[in-house]
Amino acid sequence: MNVLRVSKWTIAMFVLPCLIIYVGLVFVPILVSMYSGLLEWNGIGASKFIGLENFRTMLFHDPIFWPSVKRTLMFAVFSMCEIPIALGVAILLNRFIKKPNFLVSAYFLPVILSVVIIGQLWKTIYNPASMGGMLNQVLDLLNLHSWTRSWLTDPKIAMYSLYFVALWQYLGYHTLIQFTGIQNIPADIYEAARLDGAEGLKADWYITFPMNIPIFKISIVLAFIGSLQAFDMIMVMTGGGPAHATDVISTLMYNNSFLSLKYGYGSAIAAFLVVVCLVATVIINSLFNKLEKKYT
């Protein structure tokens, strides 16, 4: 028992510094942000305590807020839709490519590129044909003139253009995660299934997906939470425009806090975003826990 007690104290001593840093960098700012949401404050001068007025304004009187929430949730849904695609690509790589590591690394390349580089690259691709926009030029060459669009300046399609860029950027990331999970499934299980007549899609349905559910859950959580916090790519490509058509929760928070100098109101939006992330994580974990119990 003395040895065990010493061991626990030793573990605690090594964990404590990291725990303090984590609490200081994550939990303390969240609490400060929630408190700031109760203030009328420009972030510089004197503040005034106004209670829940910022939250009341946000929920009931801001015409931009709920559309930005809808776009954020749509962003998250589109991001989660790429996970089955990533799983399918990982299965194909694992089954048909003898040495797939090079292709997996190639798919992963957009993830390691700077978001600014990606944003500028796709802004150039989406430009009008007169400004050298590659997408519209290709459509013109194919005589699909009616398909050409102002991809980032048309409020009806600007957000969908950003969805596609996000899907392109992170598909390789989730493919790598799913590929790693598939690689860890013992080959003996597939051999046994093959003897029972389960091959191809049947083996994937009864073996690959059930055994890869924990990894699938990780990708879903990362995609959903990452999409709720989407900010940098949108700011680089559209800045939330045109006419707030691509504003999401994080860009709305930034614009209110640092451009309109409504720091208290921006903090209230940030607090709302934290709550949504926590609730979404709990719901996703609960759903996947039920799914794992079903297959175990």
Side-chain angles (χ1 to χ4, degrees), residues 8 33 39 42 61 66 71 85 94 121-122 148 216 252 293:
K8 286 183 177 180
S33 181
L39 307 175
N42 61 8
H61 301 294
W66 286 113
R71 284 187 288 269
I85 300 174
N94 184 64
L121 169 67
W122 279 94
T148 59
F216 198 83
L252 186 65
K293 289 179 181 178

Side-chain angles (χ1 to χ4, degrees), residues 256-296:
N256 277 282
S257 297
F258 302 107
L259 299 183
S260 300
L261 295 180
K262 298 178 181 178
Y263 192 83
Y265 185 63
S267 297
I269 298 175
F272 176 85
L273 180 59
V274 169
V275 172
V276 171
C277 289
L278 291 175
V279 171
T281 303
V282 171
I283 292 174
I284 292 173
N285 281 324
S286 176
L287 291 175
F288 273 92
N289 287 337
K290 292 180 180 178
L291 194 60
E292 286 181 43
K293 289 179 181 178
K294 178 181 177 181
Y295 284 101
T296 56

Side-chain angles (χ1 to χ4, degrees), residues 48-251:
K48 177 183 177 183
F49 184 83
I50 57 174
L52 298 175
E53 187 61 34
N54 283 326
F55 294 93
R56 191 177 298 111
T57 301
M58 175 183 69
L59 296 174
F60 302 110
H61 301 294
D62 189 342
I64 303 173
F65 176 73
W66 286 113
S68 71
V69 172
K70 178 182 176 182
R71 284 187 288 269
T72 304
L73 295 177
M74 286 293 294
F75 207 139
V77 170
F78 270 86
S79 296
M80 289 192 297
C81 286
E82 74 178 327
I83 310 303
I85 300 174
L87 178 60
V89 172
I91 290 172
L92 293 175
L93 289 173
N94 184 64
R95 181 172 298 160
F96 297 110
I97 307 299
K98 291 184 178 180
K99 294 182 179 180
N101 291 337
F102 173 77
L103 283 177
V104 173
S105 301
Y107 294 152
F108 190 76
L109 183 61
V111 181
I112 63 177
L113 293 177
S114 167
V115 176
V116 176
I117 293 175
I118 291 174
Q120 292 298 330
L121 169 67
W122 279 94
K123 279 181 69 175
T124 303
I125 292 173
Y126 281 144
N127 274 339
S130 60
M131 297 177 61
M134 186 178 71
L135 179 55
N136 284 330
Q137 285 183 349
V138 170
L139 293 174
D140 285 335
L141 288 174
L142 296 174
N143 290 321
L144 299 174
H145 307 293
S146 61
W147 288 23
T148 59
R149 296 285 187 277
S150 300
W151 300 99
L152 295 179
T153 56
D154 185 343
K156 295 181 180 179
I157 63 171
M159 199 67 210
Y160 293 98
S161 301
L162 297 180
Y163 293 151
F164 182 82
V165 176
L167 189 150
W168 173 83
Q169 182 183 5
Y170 289 105
L171 179 63
Y173 176 72
H174 294 292
T175 298
L176 176 62
I177 294 176
Q178 300 305 312
F179 180 78
T180 304
I182 293 172
Q183 290 275 293
N184 289 328
I185 298 175
D188 297 344
I189 298 177
Y190 288 105
E191 291 293 337
R194 190 175 295 113
L195 294 175
D196 292 333
E199 293 186 277
L201 292 176
K202 195 172 183 180
D204 293 330
W205 181 256
Y206 289 104
I207 298 173
T208 306
F209 179 69
M211 296 196 70
N212 213 45
I213 285 177
I215 309 300
F216 198 83
K217 180 179 74 172
I218 291 172
S219 282
I220 288 289
V221 171
L222 290 175
F224 194 89
I225 302 303
S227 299
L228 292 181
Q229 299 172 348
F231 173 77
D232 40 12
M233 184 188 70
I234 296 173
M235 291 301 295
V236 170
M237 295 186 68
T238 64
H244 301 288
T246 58
D247 255 332
V248 293
I249 297 176
S250 56
T251 59

